[in-house]
Amino acid sequence: ARKGFVDFADQVGLTLKLFQTNPKILKRFKDKYKYILVDEFQDTNFAQFELLKLLAGKRANLTVVGDDDQSIYKFRWAAISNILTFKKTYKRAKQIVLIKNYRSSQIILDTSHRLIKHNNPERLEARYKINKKLKSATRLKNKKVEHKHFDRIMSEADWVAQTIKQKCDAGE
């Protein structure tokens, strides 16, 4: 701070402090941004949610997209409580659950769902009885899911490269 450097957390924290202590500046930004979209909401932290609430104000023209099962930034202070309590904060929010998947075969989706359920009861699906069981919209073949375990990262990389080469050679 003495040298004038800021990191990501500082950017959020300083903006939050500016908005909290300077209503005219907050109003200028609220007027400028009438609609707000936040993607990957599950990876926001407490300060980011506070900033969002200030910007959204009473209008609350908000769209947030998030999936608690994809939360990966706890090490960056992501607060899964943001997504878990969003509907308490915004009682009129409409919830839309997207279950159509365009990337994976049904067998991969089913296998993943069985695995992720081990995180119950803390998941939205278990806590709020939300059906998040994905349905495949692809025409991918339902090949058996295999578990591969490697002793080293290079062994895994070698296997991936070899598999890609075999598939290319076979015209797949």
Side-chain angles (χ1 to χ4, degrees):
R2 284 189 300 263
K3 293 184 179 186
F5 298 134
V6 296
D7 63 12
F8 178 72
D10 294 329
Q11 291 174 4
V12 174
L14 291 170
T15 304
L16 184 58
K17 184 176 179 180
L18 177 67
F19 285 173
Q20 289 170 331
T21 59
N22 215 316
K24 287 182 182 180
I25 292 176
L26 173 60
K27 182 181 180 333
R28 191 166 83 204
F29 280 89
K30 285 169 67 171
D31 290 346
K32 183 175 183 176
Y33 300 107
K34 292 181 170 64
Y35 301 94
I36 302 171
L37 166 67
V38 180
D39 196 9
E40 304 296 348
F41 188 68
Q42 74 276 359
D43 290 326
T44 59
N45 62 38
F46 179 79
Q48 289 168 317
F49 193 24
E50 292 301 306
L51 188 59
L52 179 65
K53 289 188 267 189
L54 283 174
L55 280 172
K58 291 183 187 203
R59 255 195 321 240
N61 288 327
L62 282 173
T63 298
V64 300
V65 180
D67 182 356
D68 59 318
D69 291 334
Q70 295 184 38
S71 181
I72 60 171
Y73 285 112
K74 186 168 186 164
F75 70 96
R76 289 188 180 168
W77 308 109
I80 197 66
S81 60
N82 289 350
I83 199 166
L84 294 173
T85 61
F86 184 83
K87 284 189 72 173
K88 289 179 185 173
T89 305
Y90 296 99
K91 292 175 180 21
R92 293 179 37 214
K94 181 178 179 182
Q95 177 177 290
I96 300 170
V97 180
L98 303 175
I99 60 169
K100 195 178 282 189
N101 179 287
Y102 295 92
R103 295 181 183 167
S104 303
S105 65
Q106 193 61 50
I107 196 164
I108 289 173
L109 297 176
D110 292 345
T111 303
S112 300
H113 189 257
R114 278 194 307 277
L115 181 64
I116 202 79
K117 282 174 62 173
H118 290 285
N119 290 333
N120 288 351
E122 298 306 314
R123 299 173 53 246
L124 286 172
E125 187 172 38
R127 187 179 284 193
Y128 298 118
K129 308 294 186 240
I130 298 168
N131 178 14
K132 290 174 46 181
K133 192 166 187 330
L134 300 176
K135 301 288 182 206
S136 179
T138 70
R139 294 182 182 169
L140 296 171
K141 295 177 186 171
N142 266 326
K143 293 182 180 177
K144 180 180 160 196
V145 175
E146 297 178 41
H147 169 79
K148 302 284 185 192
H149 185 81
F150 301 93
D151 59 344
R152 298 176 302 128
I153 190 88
M154 288 309 296
S155 300
E156 180 181 4
D158 289 343
W159 179 85
V160 169
Q162 182 180 24
T163 302
I164 291 170
K165 183 177 183 327
Q166 286 172 348
K167 290 187 177 288
C168 286
D169 290 347
E172 293 183 39

